[in-house]
Amino acid sequence: MYHRVCIATFLVCLGINPAFSQHVPEASGSEVAQHPADASDSSNVASGKATNAANRALGRKVRQALAKSQGVNVSNVVVRARGGAVTLTGSVPDSTQIDKANEAAKGVAGVKSVENKLTIMQQ
């Protein structure tokens, strides 16, 4: 095992990554070798940006719903949204606010699930 680590370290020092190295044939003439995924990279970037924008918008909607709900202090609450799944993290002054925040988040259009990781603030 020690010898494998030494060899791997040596190869990394030479700029060769032993775990991820691949042989890529060189293109002849004016041809350019392309990875199959390169053709769809621009559409992936566009859809990724749209997904990120939708996640941010949903997170804002949930945050607004929490702020509007009576009896929830959102000053220490972080909202993350990803594909309709919302995660609430941070702390609130008491346990009733944890339940209220959970219900408020579930009531927002587009929310598929809520993972509530809120804790009670230490006094």
Side-chain angles (χ1 to χ4, degrees):
M1 180 69 178
Y2 175 75
H3 297 290
R4 288 184 190 168
V5 172
C6 290
I7 292 170
T9 304
F10 176 73
L11 292 174
V12 169
C13 289
L14 290 175
I16 302 169
N17 189 338
F20 300 106
S21 63
Q22 296 179 1
H23 174 70
V24 178
E26 293 190 24
S28 61
S30 63
E31 296 175 3
V32 176
Q34 287 189 352
H35 189 276
D38 288 347
S40 63
D41 276 351
S42 62
S43 64
N44 286 341
V45 169
S47 67
K49 287 183 179 182
T51 301
N52 288 341
N55 288 337
R56 284 191 303 272
L58 182 59
R60 281 192 301 272
K61 286 181 188 177
V62 171
R63 178 105 181 143
Q64 289 170 351
L66 294 176
K68 287 181 182 178
S69 73
Q70 295 294 317
V72 178
N73 180 347
V74 295
S75 61
N76 291 318
V77 175
V78 176
V79 178
R80 294 204 57 199
R82 187 171 195 165
V86 172
T87 303
L88 305 175
T89 56
S91 58
V92 292
D94 59 70
S95 62
T96 60
Q97 292 188 29
I98 293 174
D99 297 331
K100 288 178 183 179
N102 198 53
E103 292 306 312
K106 285 181 180 178
V108 175
V111 173
K112 297 175 184 174
S113 65
V114 176
E115 183 176 3
N116 194 333
K117 295 182 178 179
L118 292 174
T119 60
I120 300 171
M121 283 183 196
Q122 297 298 320
Q123 300 286 335

